């Protein structure tokens, strides 16, 4: 039978034989990584978002405009905060806070994900509306706890109307995971198309409503910023997501004269 | 500031680990160009998630898992199905039996189902224990053991004639 030590030696020899065929420096790797990061950012959110993110980083490090970049880069300021949703960390001047919208979002989340109101944790701050040229929407992390469960899960909920492609798309949140979420098209009970991906209890979902508003939901049994212990009890079904997405009440508040 | 710190830490890590990552990738796919692509993809993902991964610790396990899973993803994409190898850039065909042995091993490895190949690489190249391999592959230790046994038996069959040392018929 195979001598395992000899197999290891032979594998090492065979793998090492190609070491010098395509030599690269660390600087090349770094430059390539940056290029690909820029490319991915461009594909994900467009150059306008990158510019907004750069300005925000240069000033404080976080802002409502960093909604997409924060997910990709997790700036230092955000790491130290108890939550990672930028709007909960800093409140840019152009963020409106319609109380009824926050209440609406909370009530819809309770209705579809936690009817007994025992699990959702909104201490990360209210759903606020961030308004910029060509963009209006909200992006917010919401915790999930259960009695006796040491872990904490989370929802990342985004609802936006934007002139540029959505910053968060199905599959983007867990893209760096060893086992990324692979999204697939799905038809909702309303016959509308959406995208959903599931890897264990990690879920990503995106859906463009008939009125053009774009909904993005990521479900993670691990909150990450607050704790790396997974919630054992957080289980969200596709049906719950579909019902939430197609709830006719799920809309951004109408624009006002202000 | 955060970016400068990340770049510095990332560069240091890559400088230490790059060769090993390329070797793992090469054993996974058997082609230097694809291996380079896999490593680039893995490093890009590591760079993007650096702060979180660094905070959570165990960078090696994280990037190894990215590498193995990236390999699966890339090989599934149609535009990655080109024939491997370009003149002058595949492993140099030197004179001697060692090169043939090497090629035979790479081809035998490539003939294994991906799951078995991953187990062989993690167990017998990286040197992980059964438990560590199971953790990396997110499966049970029983699966690792059975995959390992099947892979070794298959390698034994494939290589015993050409690869007498590994075949145990020295």
């Amino acid at each position: 039978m195979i001598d395992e030590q000899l197999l290891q030696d032979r594998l090492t020899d065979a793998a090492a034989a190609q070491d010098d065929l395509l030599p690269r420096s660390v600087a090349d790797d770094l430059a390539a990584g940056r290029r690909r990061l820029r490319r991915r950012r461009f594909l994900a959110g467009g150059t306008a978002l990158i510019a907004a993110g750069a300005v925000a980083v240069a000033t404080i490090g976080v802002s409502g405009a960093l909604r997409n970049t924060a997910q990709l880069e997790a700036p230092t300021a955000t790491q130290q905060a108890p939550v990672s949703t930028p709007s909960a960390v800093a409140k840019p001047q152009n963020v409106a806070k319609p109380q009824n919208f926050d209440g609406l979002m909370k009530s819809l989340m309770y209705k579809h994900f936690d009817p007994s109101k025992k699990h959702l944790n909104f201490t990360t701050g209210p759903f606020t509306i961030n308004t910029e040229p060509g963009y209006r929407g909200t992006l917010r992390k919401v915790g999930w706890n259960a009695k006796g469960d040491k872990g904490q899960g989370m929802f990342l909920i985004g609802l936006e109307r934007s002139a540029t492609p959505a910053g968060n798309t199905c599959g983007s949140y867990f893209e760096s995971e060893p086992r990324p979420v692979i999204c697939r098209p799905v038809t909702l009970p309303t016959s509308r198309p959406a995208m959903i991906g599931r890897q264990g209890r990690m879920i990503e979902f995106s859906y463009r409503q008939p009125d053009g508003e774009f909904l993005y939901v990521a479900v993670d049994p691990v909150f990450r910023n607050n704790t790396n212990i997974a919630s054992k009890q957080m289980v969200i079904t596709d049906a719950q997501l579909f019902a939430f997405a197609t709830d006719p009440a799920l809309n951004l508040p109408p624009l006002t004269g202000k | 500031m955060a970016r400068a710190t990340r770049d510095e830490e990332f560069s240091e890590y890559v400088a230490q680990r790059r060769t090993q990552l390329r070797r793992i990738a090469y054993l996974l796919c058997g082609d230097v160009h694809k291996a380079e692509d896999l490593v680039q993809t893995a490093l890009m993902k590591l760079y993007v998630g650096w702060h979180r991964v660094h905070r959570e610790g165990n960078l090696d396990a994280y990037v190894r898992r990215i590498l193995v899973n990236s390999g699966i993803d890339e090989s599934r994409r149609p535009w990655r199905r080109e024939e491997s190898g370009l003149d002058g850039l595949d492993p140099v065909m030197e004179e001697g039996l060692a090169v043939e042995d090497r090629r035979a091993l790479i081809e035998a490895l490539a003939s294994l189902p991906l799951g078995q190949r991953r187990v062989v690489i993690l167990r017998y190249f990286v040197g992980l224990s059964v438990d560590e391999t199971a953790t990396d592959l997110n499966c049970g230790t029983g699966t690792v053991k059975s995959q390992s046994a099947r892979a070794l038996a298959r390698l034994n069959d494939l290589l015993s004639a050409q690869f007498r040392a590994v075949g145990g018929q020295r």
Side-chain angles (χ1 to χ4, degrees), chain A residues 19 29 34 72-73 176 178, chain B residues 6-7 18 23 48 62 69:
Chain A
D19 279 352
D29 287 323
R34 284 175 181 161
L72 301 176
E73 292 199 86
S176 302
Chain B
R6 172 173 62 180
D7 286 1
R18 194 174 201 296
R23 291 177 179 182
V48 171
Y62 185 86
N69 285 288

Side-chain angles (χ1 to χ4, degrees), chain A residues 76-88:
Chain A
T76 303
T78 307
Q79 289 173 23
Q80 295 168 347
V83 296
S84 69
T85 307
S87 59

Side-chain angles (χ1 to χ4, degrees), chain B residues 4-107:
Chain B
T5 303
R6 172 173 62 180
D7 286 1
E8 187 178 335
E9 292 173 343
F10 176 81
S11 297
E12 185 179 345
Y13 179 82
V14 172
Q16 292 175 356
R17 297 289 197 274
R18 194 174 201 296
T19 298
Q20 179 73 349
L21 294 176
R22 250 277 290 276
R23 291 177 179 182
I24 294 173
Y26 178 66
L27 292 177
L28 271 170
C29 67
D31 176 79
V32 288
H33 298 281
K34 286 181 181 174
E36 187 58 42
D37 282 353
L38 292 181
V39 172
Q40 276 297 304
T41 301
L43 291 179
M44 183 273 289
K45 289 182 176 180
L46 179 66
Y47 183 82
V48 171
W50 180 261
H51 290 305
R52 177 169 58 83
V53 181
H54 197 261
R55 191 170 59 247
E56 292 171 359
N58 208 353
L59 284 166
D60 288 341
Y62 185 86
V63 74
R64 219 169 36 231
R65 291 170 196 163
I66 292 176
L67 195 56
V68 171
N69 285 288
S70 295
I72 298 169
D73 293 345
E74 294 295 308
S75 62
R76 282 177 178 169
R77 293 176 184 166
W79 56 85
R80 291 293 179 198
R81 289 179 187 156
E82 73 274 18
E83 291 298 315
S84 63
L86 286 175
D87 289 345
L89 285 174
D90 264 354
V92 179
M93 295 300 290
E94 300 164 354
E95 296 295 326
L97 189 60
V99 175
E100 293 172 6
D101 286 352
R102 213 178 277 154
R103 174 48 60 188
L105 176 59
I106 293 297
E107 288 176 357

Side-chain angles (χ1 to χ4, degrees), chain B residues 119 123-124 130-131 139-151:
Chain B
V119 168
R123 289 277 288 121
Y124 302 111
V130 171
D131 286 345
C139 65
T141 54
T143 302
V144 172
K145 289 175 183 173
S146 62
Q147 294 269 46
S148 178
R150 279 197 283 269

